[in-house]
Amino acid sequence: IIDSLIYWMKEYHIDGFRFDLAHIIDWETCEHIRDELRKVNPAVILIAEPWGGGYDPGGFSNRDWAAWNDKIRNGIKGWDPEHDRGFIFGEWQGENSVRSLQNFALGTLQQNGGPFAKSAHAVNYLESHDNHTLGDFIRIGLGEVDPHKPIEDMESHIRLTTKQLRLNKLAALALFCAQGPVMFHEGQEYARSKVIAPTDAPDVAAGVIDHNSYEKDDETNWLNFHHAEANRELVEYYRGLIALRKAHRALRYAGPEHFHFAKTSDPLFMAYLIDAEGESILVALNGNTQEVHDLDLPDGEWELYADAQSASAEKPSAVLTVSGCLLIKRS
């Protein structure tokens, strides 16, 4: 393993590696990988899929590896779109609670019941090559698409409805405002749908949304950028969130001591202030699908950079809208 990794680093100038089913590798080897690869590049990136023969993201974090953070994935969107939904649907997945949401914002840290020793180890994500795309999860979770029936009109199917667009934006805002590296899957920015493509081989499931397409080498896994144009509003929302995160270090490098969580009457309405890196950022996320909540702003002049409609690092808005928002204090 180590010979191969070092060869890839030296000959192909690879900066880092993501290990599938990394828990199959023993801890001694994991530590040896870390030590030997740092001799080649002290800043080498090591990311584990922290399951396979067990589950221990904390074990990787304690050895200074990063790992996929499935905790935030499940807490924000859920695990099963039909029976086990999360925050963006106004529900609690598994044993998640408002405390879980707060810890996601902090980096899913061990000191608050999460697995990670450092927020930099939590690779936060909502979608990967496995399972439903976030867009399909939301389509199914809202009950607007039947996952067991073929899609008759692909053009209509891929265009987001008002509810689908709102939940995609809320999920993205929650993801980009959490401490830790952000990973989003190809096509997530336009709510890509994975629909089983017809092939020469007979397939009774052709036309049905694919929940796990790892075994397909066909159009099912292709990217259709026409779909990106159809959902341009969501693409621009992701573009704005990326620019905001790059422009404001507090969204990436704030410690738990810099967070101040507001007391709200609804556990599905979370608001917190980040005072770090010489600026104040206020984030509010409303997962309650039935209630609109007021938010009393702290003293000062605030500018709105992201809400349920748009996100931008350069053009603050003056209008607050439902679901989620990000404000930055001017003075």
Side-chain angles (χ1 to χ4, degrees), residues 197-204 206:
T199 65
D200 293 336
D203 187 349
V204 296

Side-chain angles (χ1 to χ4, degrees), residues 66-67 69 72 103-109 116 118-125 174-183 245 249-255 259:
N69 186 4
I72 192 173
N103 201 20
F104 298 154
L106 295 171
T108 321
L109 298 173
F116 296 99
K118 300 177 181 178
S119 63
H121 295 161
V123 179
N124 298 325
Y125 75 108
L175 176 66
F176 276 80
C177 288
Q179 297 293 308
V182 171
M183 181 186 89
R245 191 173 168 94
R249 285 176 55 88
L251 291 172
R252 296 172 285 134
Y253 295 112
F259 279 73

Side-chain angles (χ1 to χ4, degrees), residues 188-308:
Q188 180 177 324
E189 74 279 9
Y190 59 83
R192 171 179 170 238
S193 185
K194 286 194 300 188
V195 176
I196 298 175
T199 65
D200 293 336
D203 187 349
V204 296
V208 175
I209 288 178
D210 200 326
H211 135 268
N212 204 355
S213 62
Y214 72 95
E215 81 283 40
K216 292 183 177 63
D217 183 20
D218 57 36
E219 192 175 344
T220 306
N221 283 320
W222 296 0
L223 300 179
N224 187 331
F225 292 105
H226 167 67
H227 297 173
E229 288 303 316
N231 292 321
R232 173 57 54 183
E233 183 176 340
L234 183 60
V235 174
E236 294 304 321
Y237 197 79
Y238 270 87
R239 189 189 305 276
L241 290 178
I242 292 169
L244 273 168
R245 191 173 168 94
K246 290 172 68 175
H248 300 281
R249 285 176 55 88
L251 291 172
R252 296 172 285 134
Y253 295 112
E257 68 277 10
H258 300 127
F259 279 73
H260 310 280
F261 290 94
K263 293 182 179 180
T264 63
S265 58
D266 182 354
L268 285 166
F269 177 50
M270 181 175 70
Y272 56 93
L273 181 68
I274 308 174
D275 278 316
E277 301 291 335
E279 56 188 357
S280 296
I281 299 176
L282 181 65
V283 177
L285 302 167
N286 182 18
N288 193 321
T289 59
Q290 305 298 321
E291 297 289 337
V292 177
H293 293 290
D294 293 328
L295 179 64
D296 294 326
L297 298 178
D299 291 340
E301 185 176 348
W302 294 85
E303 292 182 324
L304 182 65
Y305 282 84
D307 63 5

Side-chain angles (χ1 to χ4, degrees), residues 17 45 59 150 160 186 188 208 229-230 241 277 306 309 326 329:
F17 303 90
I45 299 167
L160 293 170
E186 55 189 1
Q188 180 177 324
V208 175
E229 288 303 316
L241 290 178
E277 301 291 335
Q309 267 64 54
L326 184 153
K329 190 175 181 180

Side-chain angles (χ1 to χ4, degrees), residues 38-98:
R38 283 181 173 174
K39 293 176 183 177
V40 180
N41 177 4
V44 65
I45 299 167
L46 297 174
I47 300 173
E49 186 184 50
W51 46 82
Y55 174 79
D56 193 359
F60 286 99
S61 182
N62 292 338
R63 290 166 175 83
D64 213 19
W65 281 52
W68 278 14
N69 186 4
D70 60 315
K71 300 292 187 183
I72 192 173
R73 178 198 67 192
N74 294 349
I76 290 179
K77 79 170 185 181
W79 171 245
D80 178 344
E82 294 184 274
H83 309 107
D84 194 19
R85 293 174 290 267
F87 170 75
I88 61 173
F89 295 94
E91 300 178 23
W92 296 115
Q93 185 274 337
E95 298 180 355
N96 280 293
S97 65
V98 65

